[in-house]
Amino acid sequence: AQRVTQPEKLLSVFKGAPVELKCNYSYSGSPELFWYVQYSRQRLQLLLRHISRESIKGFTADLNKGETSFHLKKPFAQEEDSAMYYCALSGSSNLFFGTGTRLTVIP
Amino acid sequence: SAVISQKPSRDICQRGTSLTIQCQVDSQVTMMFWYRQQPGQSLTLIATANQGSEATYESGFVIDKFPISRPNLTFSTLTVSNMSPEDSSIYLCSVVDSLSSGNTIYFGEGSWLTVV
């Protein structure tokens, strides 16, 4: 069965500090993993996906198949990073979401 | 990426009534989905809207409560029937952008329903 786990509902860091949002998954096949972000009063939007191996807004995420993890990282958090972050897994074109982590960056 | 318009964006509904949410995409897309995001919760897939046939519902969701239409490749509707306060939620239309590499899913702004 597909499952996405985000163990932290809330995460607060100071501006300039590193941030890591954890995501673990379970899936029997070859997963596609995504991070979505929802800023206050905005729609849910794609942040990055593992197949692209890209860095968006300073964020990166590496798929670790051994640990079944896809943690989101940024070396220096900015105030504008405060948002709700969702890890998602695509098994067959639809998405299954984790419960989300609300990141607050303290000035 | 596909541009998705949903309406209404927000509504207050009376208990026992039904409301239809519309989702319009600016391009033809292969797949459309409806999600629900209850207050303080994550997103839950309601169903996949299939063009020209009945929607495919996830466990816990039934057609009588959430009838879905998809008459063509750019439009879908979700009806929330016989609403109760437990149906107060954000309902999100999403699509797979067939022009992108990989199965990237894009979301509409959502329809925020409050049932009183």
Side-chain angles (χ1 to χ4, degrees):
Chain A
Q2 294 154 310
R3 176 176 287 181
V4 178
T5 304
Q6 292 180 251
E8 303 143 326
K9 289 195 91 167
L10 302 170
L11 181 64
S12 295
V13 300
F14 285 100
K15 177 182 173 181
V19 60
E20 180 179 66
L21 291 89
K22 291 185 168 51
C23 172
N24 289 90
Y25 68 91
S26 63
Y27 183 64
S28 56
S30 226
E32 286 188 64
L33 286 143
F34 304 81
W35 277 98
Y36 280 80
V37 60
Q38 190 169 29
Y39 300 102
S40 178
R41 301 183 184 279
Q42 295 187 28
R43 74 176 68 195
L44 194 65
Q45 56 188 282
L46 178 68
L47 180 62
L48 54 80
R49 51 191 177 186
H50 89 270
I51 60 172
S52 301
R53 294 185 160 273
E54 56 203 343
S55 173
I56 303 294
K57 299 184 180 182
F59 284 98
T60 58
D62 291 319
L63 177 61
N64 186 323
K65 291 187 177 180
E67 296 182 358
T68 61
S69 68
F70 188 56
H71 303 327
L72 183 68
K73 300 177 185 179
K74 184 169 182 176
F76 308 103
Q78 303 299 312
E79 288 179 66
E80 55 266 29
D81 296 328
S82 294
M84 195 74 181
Y85 291 81
Y86 293 96
C87 183
L89 179 152
S90 171
S92 55
S93 298
N94 57 353
L95 278 178
F96 291 89
F97 285 84
T99 50
T101 299
R102 181 170 297 282
L103 174 66
T104 302
V105 180
I106 304 165
Chain B
S1 62
V3 177
I4 305 166
S5 302
Q6 265 186 254
K7 56 182 180 182
S9 58
R10 188 181 290 261
D11 208 340
I12 298 173
C13 309
Q14 295 295 319
R15 186 193 301 248
T17 63
S18 299
L19 183 81
T20 296
I21 303 165
Q22 297 180 0
C23 177
Q24 179 72 55
V25 191
D26 69 342
S27 59
Q28 292 186 344
V29 292
T30 53
M31 303 191 76
M32 297 180 76
F33 307 95
W34 287 97
Y35 283 83
R36 181 173 73 181
Q37 186 176 23
Q38 293 179 301
Q41 304 294 317
S42 185
L43 286 83
T44 303
L45 181 64
I46 298 172
T48 302
N50 300 310
Q51 194 255 330
S53 64
E54 191 173 289
T56 305
Y57 289 85
E58 296 298 309
S59 175
F61 298 95
V62 295
I63 188 171
D64 290 345
K65 177 67 176 177
F66 297 102
I68 289 170
S69 79
R70 189 177 174 195
N72 55 54
L73 293 176
T74 64
F75 185 77
S76 178
T77 67
L78 168 74
T79 299
V80 186
S81 303
N82 188 25
M83 286 186 282
S84 66
E86 293 72 36
D87 295 320
S88 297
S89 186
I90 300 172
Y91 293 86
L92 294 142
C93 172
S94 69
V95 305
V96 172
D97 184 350
S98 57
L99 297 180
S100 296
S101 58
N103 290 326
T104 303
I105 294 184
Y106 297 93
F107 288 85
E109 290 184 329
S111 298
W112 195 316
L113 304 186
T114 302
V115 184
V116 297

